[in-house]
């Protein structure tokens, strides 16, 4: 099945024939439907804001091909957010059918949206997802009655276990091939047109939110019967995790354990598997290979010298960065798919409010530990520009991406655990300081937290594995080219002797102010391309503990990488991108220098 | 933990049968009918609108949010909004 996807909003997609829209509230498992029906694997998550734009893929029904459009999760069609506005535009673009995914554990919310969708007079197939979780919670749903009440087919599904998809396809095929029988809705009292041709302000005049809720509750009452169910271990654990006690201690344990696993497993992977292969097999192989046909000199040095491309690309990328990236994604994807992240957002809302943002921002911050680019795109889910700008600035300043964390761990983690703790404390202090400063600097307000807490789940093995593969693959695809570019730049600059001239020019700053060897300027050059490359060159230098800490601090705070700069310019404007780049660089040099001076003073006294 | 405590902040938690009170200060563990909500569209999207019944599960310390059970959905609402939602105990 051929398929493709688009993440940018493209008006031409609106005009396509044979569109089937995939709709539903956030957290209902829509993205799994999309992946299964089209074969396009997207990163899905169970918190609001994962899909900020739409995705499209091709789906075969019988002998016809349809465009399945996965729209952002929406609670209503009132166009109160950009995601809802996109959904409304698509509903008005003459789709063939809608596949509306309902959450069996929260039927009322889904029904409310379904009732609004019915106003557009488009054939709808309802997929009642998570029926297994609903049963576990003691909810029995009368599906034939629900189908009758909604006036369309209702298919019970368990998306993560891929149950019910054949029936969904069959039902979709039936509705798209059926002659249009839906009768036009009564004309609007205000504009005289049918609701399907009516724009939303008009729609909202017909029936207000309360009316839809009343209708949804009535249907839910009629079709749901509660059977006695003993709460499962997961239900009780999910409940305990939400209570202030023991929820907050559990959260601390989860965060520290996650960090510990990333550090320990990353180090074990690097030391026992990757480093021996790199040092004993790959690098000697490259050296033998190139020296067999290239004479000694600059070219050979650029390829396999001390800083040669085929030496440092293995040593820096494979040994120091990739193991930590892999383990981080294993842990993060598990936490994300289990529904734990929104729980953290609730538990830490009061703390984040003190910093100036709200608990919901924690999801973007956690994402930023993977990579700042999706996290900055994810800040679209914030409700005010001030919050978006603040969050973006805080991420750029003090949330290291996983590659950068890997490089930091390789630099200071191997030396001392306490130095690692000190770096974390520094990052936290800068994070708080940037929050406090920007909350005063930027005009506007921050909306309080309003967040739905999803069920706690054990991620389905296949869905988890597919998502992990997509994540790691996209990391390798997106990051590999800039990393190799940085490595090539390093090889040429160092081995061709250009570095000495640059190092001499920056000597007063590097040696005089930061107390680092003048060759460390290589990090500042490479850091422009990739964040971790500001730190990686320091690994090869024989640094004192103070130099190590200063270098780590500079690397932590230094310039966001080229990809982040690009996304800042795209999501905001060049002024914001330049402003953040300048302020992070100045802060990095300033803080690094202060650490060096204070450290030198203290060591002098001791 | 139900029906007792708490520290200052925006207001002490109290039980007020039949009285109109704000959601932030009313007791935990009880059900309330919503009378009035501030203009925040997401609230009604999540089922918190006039005439709906919500259960206040917990209030988090240091000015944290309140956790509500709305039908079969759990929703957390920040202090600033919760203290502007007026409810009556049912």
């Amino acid at each position: 099945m051929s398929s493709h996807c688009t993440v940018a909003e493209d008006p031409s997609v609106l005009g396509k024939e044979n569109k089937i829209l995939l709709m539903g509230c956030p957290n209902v498992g829509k993205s799994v439907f999309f992946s299964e029906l089209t074969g396009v694997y997207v990163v899905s998550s169970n918190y609001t804001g994962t899909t900020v734009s739409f995705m499209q893929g091709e789906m075969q029904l019988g002998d016809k091909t349809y465009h399945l459009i996965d729209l952002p999760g929406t609670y209503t069609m009132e166009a109160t957010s950009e995601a809802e506005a996109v959904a409304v535009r698509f509903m008005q673009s003459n789709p063939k059918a809608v596949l509306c995914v309902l959450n069996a554990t929260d039927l009322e919310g889904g029904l409310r949206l379904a009732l609004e969708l019915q106003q557009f007079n488009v054939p709808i197939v309802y997929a009642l997802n998570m029926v297994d979780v609903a049963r576990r919670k003691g909810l029995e749903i009368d599906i034939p009655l629900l189908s009758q009440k909604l006036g369309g087919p209702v298919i019970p599904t368990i998306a993560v276990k891929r149950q019910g998809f054949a029936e969904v396809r069959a039902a979709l095929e039936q509705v798209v091939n059926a002659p249009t029988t839906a009768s036009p809705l009564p004309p609007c009292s205000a504009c005289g047109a049918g609701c399907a041709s009516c724009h939303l302000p008009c729609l909202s005049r017909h029936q207000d939110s309360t009316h839809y809720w009343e209708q949804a509750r009535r249907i839910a009452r009629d079709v749901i019967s509660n059977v006695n169910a003993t709460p499962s271990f997961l239900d009780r654990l999910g409940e305990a995790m939400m209570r202030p006690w023991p929820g907050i201690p559990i959260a601390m344990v989860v965060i520290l354990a996650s960090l510990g696993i990333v550090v320990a497993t990353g180090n074990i992977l690097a030391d026992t598997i990757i480093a021996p292969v790199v040092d004993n097999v790959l690098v000697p192989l490259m050296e033998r290979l190139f020296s067999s046909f290239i004479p000694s000199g600059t070219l050979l040095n650029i390829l396999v010298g001390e800083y040669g491309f085929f030496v440092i690309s293995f040593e820096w990328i494979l040994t120091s960065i990739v193991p930590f990236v892999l383990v981080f994604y294993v842990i993060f994807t598990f936490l994300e798919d289990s529904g734990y992240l929104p729980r953290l957002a609730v538990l830490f809302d009061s703390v984040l409010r003190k910093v100036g943002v709200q608990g919901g921002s924690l999801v973007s911050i956690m994402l930023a530990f993977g990579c700042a680019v999706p996290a900055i795109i994810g800040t679209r889910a914030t409700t005010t520009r001030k919050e978006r700008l603040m969050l973006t600035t805080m991420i750029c300043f003090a949330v290291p991406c996983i590659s950068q964390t890997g490089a930091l761990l390789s630099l200071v983690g191997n030396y001392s655990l306490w130095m690692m703790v000190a770096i974390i404390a520094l990052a936290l202090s800068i994070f708080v300081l940037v929050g406090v400063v920007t909350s005063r600097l930027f005009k506007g307000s921050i909306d309080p937290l309003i967040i739905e807490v999803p069920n706690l789940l054990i991620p389905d093995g296949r869905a988890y594995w597919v998502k992990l593969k997509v994540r790691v693959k996209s990391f390798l695809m997106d990051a590999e080219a800039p990393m190799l570019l940085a490595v090539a730049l390093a090889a040429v600059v160092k081995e061709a002797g250009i570095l000495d001239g640059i190092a001499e020019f920056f000597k007063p700053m590097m040696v005089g102010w930061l107390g680092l060897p003048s060759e460390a300027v290589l990090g500042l050059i490479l850091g422009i391309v990739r964040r971790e490359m500001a730190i990686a060159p320091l690994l090869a230098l024989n640094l004192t503990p103070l130099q190590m800490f200063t270098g780590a601090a500079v690397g932590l705070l230094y310039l966001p990488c080229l990809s982040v700069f690009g996304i800042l310019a795209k999501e905001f404007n060049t002024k914001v991108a330049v402003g953040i780049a300048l302020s992070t660089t100045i802060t990095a040099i300033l803080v690094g220098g202060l650490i060096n001076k204070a450290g030198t003073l203290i060591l002098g006294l001791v | 933990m139900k029906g007792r405590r708490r520290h200052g902040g925006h207001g002490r938690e109290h039980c007020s049968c039949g009285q109109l009170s704000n959601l932030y200060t009313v007791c935990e563990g009880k059900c309330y009918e919503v009378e009035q909500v501030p203009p925040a569209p997401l609230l009604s999207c999540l089922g918190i609108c006039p005439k709906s019944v919500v259960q206040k599960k917990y209030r988090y310390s240091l000015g944290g949010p309140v956790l509500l059970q709305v039908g079969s959905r759990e929703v957390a609402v920040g202090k600033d909004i919760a203290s502007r939602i007026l409810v009556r105990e049912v």
Side-chain angles (χ1 to χ4, degrees):
Chain A
M1 187 185 303
S2 70
S3 52
H4 66 284
C5 64
T6 308
V7 286
E9 191 170 332
D10 177 0
S12 68
V13 181
L14 273 171
K16 275 189 175 164
E17 294 292 317
N18 288 349
K19 285 192 302 282
I20 295 177
L21 307 182
L22 179 57
M23 304 201 60
C25 297
N27 312 329
V28 294
K30 263 180 340 89
S31 299
V32 184
F33 277 80
F34 181 75
S35 301
E36 281 298 320
L37 295 172
T38 62
V40 176
Y41 290 94
V42 296
V43 172
S44 58
S45 316
N46 52 2
Y47 43 78
T48 318
T50 305
T51 314
V52 283
S53 188
F54 66 85
M55 303 287 296
Q56 66 155 324
E58 286 176 6
M59 177 174 66
Q60 204 71 30
L61 291 177
D63 55 353
K64 283 191 190 159
T65 303
Y66 292 87
H67 299 284
L68 185 67
I69 316 279
D70 179 14
L71 292 168
T74 50
Y75 291 107
T76 74
M77 298 297 285
E78 289 174 5
T80 51
S81 68
E82 185 47 37
E84 287 167 13
V86 169
V88 169
R89 283 201 290 277
F90 271 98
M91 280 305 287
Q92 292 171 331
S93 68
N94 201 22
K96 285 278 177 202
V98 171
L99 173 57
C100 175
V101 185
L102 306 172
N103 178 352
T105 66
D106 175 28
L107 195 57
E108 282 177 15
L111 286 174
R112 184 206 186 279
L113 176 67
L115 292 169
E116 277 191 272
L117 291 179
Q118 288 180 354
Q119 302 301 312
F120 289 86
N121 220 16
V122 174
I124 305 177
V125 169
Y126 302 93
L128 184 64
N129 197 26
M130 298 194 218
V131 283
D132 55 334
V133 185
R135 263 182 230 128
R136 203 177 75 203
K137 287 175 171 273
L139 303 169
E140 277 297 336
I141 298 170
D142 184 338
I143 292 171
L145 183 60
L146 180 59
S147 177
Q148 191 192 325
K149 298 255 176 205
L150 289 173
V154 177
I155 317 292
T157 61
I158 307 172
V160 290
K161 292 181 180 161
R162 282 151 301 284
Q163 288 179 17
F165 287 112
E167 292 83 349
V168 167
R169 277 178 183 279
L172 277 173
E173 195 176 348
Q174 207 173 352
V175 300
V176 292
N177 290 324
T180 314
T181 51
S183 56
L185 290 163
C188 164
S189 56
C191 68
C195 267
S197 58
C198 198
H199 53 82
L200 259 290
C202 176
L203 181 70
S204 55
R205 276 201 295 274
H206 292 301
Q207 300 189 350
D208 63 15
S209 178
T210 315
H211 175 89
Y212 283 122
W213 273 118
E214 279 171 6
Q215 227 179 321
R217 282 190 197 111
R218 219 169 23 241
I219 298 175
R221 242 192 337 262
D222 291 347
V223 301
I224 296 176
S225 49
N226 283 295
V227 290
N228 280 336
T230 320
S232 68
F233 170 72
L234 265 184
D235 294 333
R236 280 180 281 130
L237 181 65
E239 180 68 26
M241 283 173 159
M242 282 312 296
R243 266 183 249 135
W245 170 262
I248 291 172
I250 291 176
M252 301 304 291
V253 170
V254 169
I255 292 170
L256 290 175
S258 305
L259 184 69
I261 293 171
V262 171
V263 174
T265 319
N267 272 324
I268 291 170
L269 265 180
D271 294 345
T272 59
I273 300 172
I274 301 176
V277 172
V278 166
D279 295 343
N280 303 326
V281 181
L282 289 174
V283 172
L285 183 76
M286 291 295 151
E287 282 170 350
R288 273 203 305 277
L289 181 74
F290 286 105
S291 53
S292 67
F293 64 94
I294 298 174
S296 298
T298 307
L299 180 60
L300 187 65
N301 285 344
I302 287 175
L303 292 172
V304 289
E306 189 195 349
Y307 275 77
F309 180 83
F310 290 98
V311 174
I312 54 175
S313 60
F314 292 128
E315 286 179 354
W316 290 357
I317 301 174
L318 263 187
T319 314
S320 305
I321 294 161
V322 169
F324 297 102
V325 173
L326 289 180
V327 185
F328 172 82
Y329 279 134
V330 167
I331 303 285
F332 183 80
T333 307
F334 182 85
L335 288 178
E336 190 179 53
D337 276 12
S338 66
Y340 189 60
L341 296 184
R343 285 171 166 75
L344 284 180
V346 176
L347 292 169
F348 291 106
D349 177 62
S350 56
V351 176
L352 283 164
R353 292 294 300 185
K354 305 270 181 294
V355 180
V357 288
Q358 48 110 334
S361 309
L362 199 69
V363 175
S364 286
I365 295 166
M366 298 286 281
L367 261 177
F369 279 107
C371 174
V373 172
I376 291 169
I377 296 172
T379 59
R380 285 184 199 167
T382 55
T383 49
T384 65
R385 184 174 162 82
K386 173 175 175 163
E387 186 178 5
R388 197 169 179 214
L389 257 178
M390 277 183 67
L391 201 51
T392 303
T393 314
M394 290 157 87
I395 287 169
C396 289
F397 262 90
V399 182
C401 69
I402 186 58
S403 314
Q404 206 180 359
T405 308
L408 278 169
L409 288 171
S410 301
L411 180 67
V412 298
N414 285 342
Y415 175 76
S416 144
L417 177 68
W418 289 111
M419 196 180 281
M420 196 63 227
V421 172
I423 281 290
I424 294 172
L426 177 72
L428 271 175
S429 315
I430 298 284
F431 183 82
V432 171
L433 192 67
V434 172
V436 171
V437 170
T438 51
S439 71
R440 281 163 178 70
L441 202 66
F442 300 147
K443 290 192 179 86
S445 62
I446 303 285
D447 285 340
L449 174 82
I450 304 176
I451 194 170
E452 185 188 353
V453 181
N455 298 310
L456 192 70
L457 302 166
I458 291 196
D460 169 70
R462 189 180 148 191
Y464 172 79
W465 178 241
V466 166
K467 185 171 180 176
L468 189 62
K469 265 200 316 195
V470 171
R471 277 239 159 95
V472 172
K473 194 175 153 196
S474 60
F475 166 79
L476 293 175
M477 305 270 281
D478 297 344
E480 196 66 22
M483 277 201 281
L484 291 177
L485 175 71
V487 167
L489 190 67
V492 172
V493 164
K494 173 77 180 169
E495 298 294 346
I498 306 167
L499 184 64
D500 297 339
I502 302 173
E504 193 55 38
F505 182 77
F506 283 102
K507 203 172 176 181
M509 183 182 82
M510 293 308 294
V511 181
W513 173 243
L514 294 173
L516 294 171
S518 53
E519 303 96 292
V521 75
L522 183 63
L524 298 189
I525 301 167
L526 304 186
I528 299 169
V529 187
R530 288 280 307 170
R531 286 174 111 179
E532 68 277 14
M533 290 299 165
I535 302 156
L538 303 178
L539 297 170
L541 303 172
N542 198 15
L543 300 178
T544 64
L546 178 60
Q547 286 176 325
M548 222 180 264
F549 189 67
T550 310
V554 174
L556 169 77
L557 300 170
Y558 191 55
L559 202 66
C561 67
L562 270 184
S563 319
V564 174
F565 189 85
I567 206 74
L568 286 173
K570 189 176 160 216
E571 294 286 315
F572 296 93
N573 52 47
T574 317
K575 201 173 128 188
V576 169
V578 171
I580 289 180
L582 277 179
S583 49
T584 48
T585 308
I586 293 168
T587 310
I589 304 296
L590 193 70
V591 171
L594 290 175
I595 289 172
N596 172 47
K597 296 293 174 197
T600 312
L601 194 70
I602 293 166
L603 289 174
L605 291 175
V606 176
Chain B
M1 187 172 281
K2 287 179 184 175
R4 56 191 168 84
R5 64 179 180 147
R6 166 113 141 216
H7 39 78
H10 196 274
R12 194 178 295 279
E13 209 169 272
H14 64 276
C15 301
S16 48
C17 262
Q19 275 179 17
L20 201 60
S21 314
N22 78 62
L23 188 57
Y24 189 72
T25 53
V26 293
C27 291
E28 290 173 351
K30 294 189 173 178
C31 290
Y32 301 91
E33 184 175 292
V34 175
E35 292 277 335
Q36 206 178 311
V37 290
L42 196 52
L43 282 178
S44 98
C45 297
L46 291 167
I48 304 166
C49 51
K51 293 188 189 167
S52 61
V53 174
V54 299
Q55 186 200 2
K56 180 174 174 182
K57 294 185 80 174
Y58 312 114
R59 185 175 91 173
Y60 297 87
S61 54
L62 302 170
V66 294
L67 185 69
L68 305 172
Q69 185 78 43
V70 189
S72 45
R73 202 177 244 177
E74 272 189 337
V75 179
V77 177
K79 178 188 171 184
D80 296 349
I81 289 269
S83 48
R84 287 160 61 203
I85 298 174
L86 298 182
V87 294
R88 206 182 291 278
E89 193 182 328
V90 290

